[in-house]
Amino acid sequence: MRFTPGPTTVPPPVREAMAETQPNPDIEPAFTERYTEVCAKLAEVYGTDDDVVVLGGEGILGLEAAIASLVEPGDRALCVSNGLYGDGFADFVESYDGDPELVSTPYDEGDDLETVETALEEAAAAGEPFALATMVHCETPTGTLNDLGPVLDLLDDHGVLSVVDAVSSLGGTPVPTDRIDVCLGASQKCFSAPPGLTTAAISERAWTAMEERDQSSLYTNFLPWRDVSDGFPYTHLPANVAALDTALDRLLEEGLETVFARHEEAAERCRERGSELGLDPYPDPERCSPTVTAFSLPGDAKRVQQRVAAEANVVLATGLGDLADDVLRLGHMGYNADLEKVDRAMDAVAAVLE
């Protein structure tokens, strides 16, 4: 059993949809119709009236495309971070010759609102406002769910565009999409579809900003996807779109509130079982994500991961970067937000630790 925080296990109906004969995305209207339906279903999940687009490319494409679409050389970007992916936004800004200001806190802490507010005020006072700000909703490597509201309040006050990585939270827990200008998702997390698609809900304000910039890319660019009535910018991935279509049907048929409750219940069970084994979540319990649990195992995470895989055939994940051997991660998201699967995974961990 794979119990990782993405790519998640793909349920049989989704795999079967992917195996069907697919329409040619460059020629046949049937594909355009399916794509349009998928975008409408995604809008329900996002809970938005904004445009939703689906690009062919793994979720990280969305993070880079948001920066490539909105940042011109010299543009200033406020990158609010308490994790690896939050830090990565600053790297993307630099790669497109923007000027990132990274407001970071330790990975086991929340956002530093005072520093964020100071940065915004100083930029406004100097006449050098930020073109945009970036944030991460769920930092998957540490299992941290960030409260976006206070930072979004500050950005609203200063009229700064917001870009949010919601890749590992969308479809598993509520996301305040109505307050976000570019909200990024992907197929391989809570949707439990195969990796290969980026999703984005984009506000009118963000589209306008993109249109006012000199675009330097086709592939890492949202703007060509705003109107696909005359065709797609490049050949899409019909099997992946078919899989996502079925995955969305499953989610919407279950009902979003039921889905969110299922994730909360799975997360609670996972952490209760961990507490019985003397394991503590890496972040503060109040900031743990409903979609992934990161247990703190300093210096021992890889050993536990390897033994669980060898002895119980259960695949877990460890941390990333400096936390590679200090954090053990379990992905109770999407198809794996299931109490029986949680118990099987935690039984395997218990057998190694006890």
Side-chain angles (χ1 to χ4, degrees):
M1 178 180 74
R2 186 172 67 210
F3 206 73
T4 59
T8 53
T9 300
V10 178
V14 177
R15 296 200 304 270
E16 291 165 5
M18 197 172 191
E20 295 174 357
T21 301
Q22 306 297 335
N24 186 315
D26 296 327
I27 299 172
E28 297 182 71
F31 178 79
T32 302
E33 292 171 6
R34 171 173 278 166
Y35 174 86
T36 302
E37 291 171 359
V38 165
C39 291
K41 293 171 187 178
L42 279 167
E44 289 188 57
V45 176
Y46 272 106
T48 185
D49 293 325
D50 290 339
D51 292 338
V52 175
V53 296
V54 181
L55 279 63
E58 190 272 335
I60 202 72
L61 170 63
L63 278 64
E64 181 168 358
I67 301 306
S69 302
L70 288 169
V71 171
E72 285 188 308
D75 279 350
R76 302 189 67 209
L78 180 65
C79 301
V80 183
S81 173
N82 63 344
L84 187 69
Y85 286 101
D87 292 347
F89 267 124
D91 295 333
F92 281 133
V93 172
E94 284 188 344
S95 71
Y96 286 91
D97 296 323
D99 180 15
E101 181 167 337
L102 183 62
V103 176
S104 61
T105 54
Y107 286 7
D108 58 350
E109 296 182 9
D111 296 326
D112 185 344
L113 292 176
E114 184 176 340
T115 303
V116 171
E117 185 171 21
T118 298
L120 289 165
E121 291 176 349
E122 290 180 349
E128 299 177 345
F130 294 105
L132 72 156
T134 64
M135 293 173 287
V136 176
H137 191 206
C138 174
E139 273 285 359
T140 326
T142 59
T144 300
L145 188 74
N146 290 310
D147 180 7
L148 302 179
V151 177
L152 290 172
D153 287 341
L154 293 174
L155 299 182
D156 286 343
D157 291 343
H158 290 268
V160 175
L161 288 169
S162 55
V163 174
V164 172
D165 168 0
V167 168
S168 59
S169 56
L170 182 68
T173 193
V175 180
T177 315
D178 59 322
R179 305 186 58 199
I180 298 169
D181 289 295
V182 180
C183 188
L184 303 164
S187 56
Q188 78 272 20
K189 300 286 188 174
C190 298
F191 296 143
S192 289
L197 298 177
T198 281
T199 71
I202 303 176
S203 73
E204 187 65 32
R205 186 169 70 149
W207 284 127
T208 298
M210 293 177 197
E211 290 169 346
E212 291 174 348
R213 284 160 172 73
D214 291 329
Q215 299 296 328
S216 60
S217 170
L218 171 67
Y219 197 77
T220 53
N221 189 348
F222 282 125
L223 195 55
W225 292 86
R226 184 173 193 183
D227 182 1
V228 295
S229 58
D230 292 328
F232 297 94
Y234 50 82
T235 299
H236 219 310
L237 308 177
N240 290 73
V241 173
L244 179 58
D245 191 18
T246 299
L248 290 168
D249 284 342
R250 288 168 54 85
L251 188 152
L252 292 171
E253 286 169 7
E254 183 178 354
L256 288 175
E257 293 304 319
T258 303
V259 170
F260 297 157
R262 175 164 57 83
H263 280 76
E264 291 282 358
E265 187 177 23
E268 184 177 353
R269 174 70 67 86
C270 185
R271 288 158 201 159
E272 285 177 352
R273 292 291 307 274
S275 179
E276 293 168 359
L277 297 172
L279 297 176
D280 295 320
Y282 177 80
D284 186 291
E286 294 183 357
R287 293 189 294 106
C288 287
S289 174
T291 61
V292 53
T293 290
F295 287 120
S296 183
L297 273 79
D300 203 31
K302 289 183 179 178
R303 180 190 71 84
V304 172
Q305 178 203 36
Q306 292 166 1
R307 283 194 57 189
V308 165
E311 298 172 16
N313 196 28
V314 174
V315 180
L316 306 178
T318 60
L320 300 177
D322 293 341
L323 297 175
D325 197 27
D326 296 330
V327 166
L328 184 71
R329 296 186 295 147
L330 292 86
H332 36 75
M333 60 173 64
Y335 189 48
N336 277 349
D338 176 271
L339 295 183
E340 290 186 6
K341 293 177 183 178
V342 171
D343 282 336
R344 179 180 170 187
M346 291 307 299
D347 285 346
V349 173
V352 170
L353 294 179
E354 290 178 344

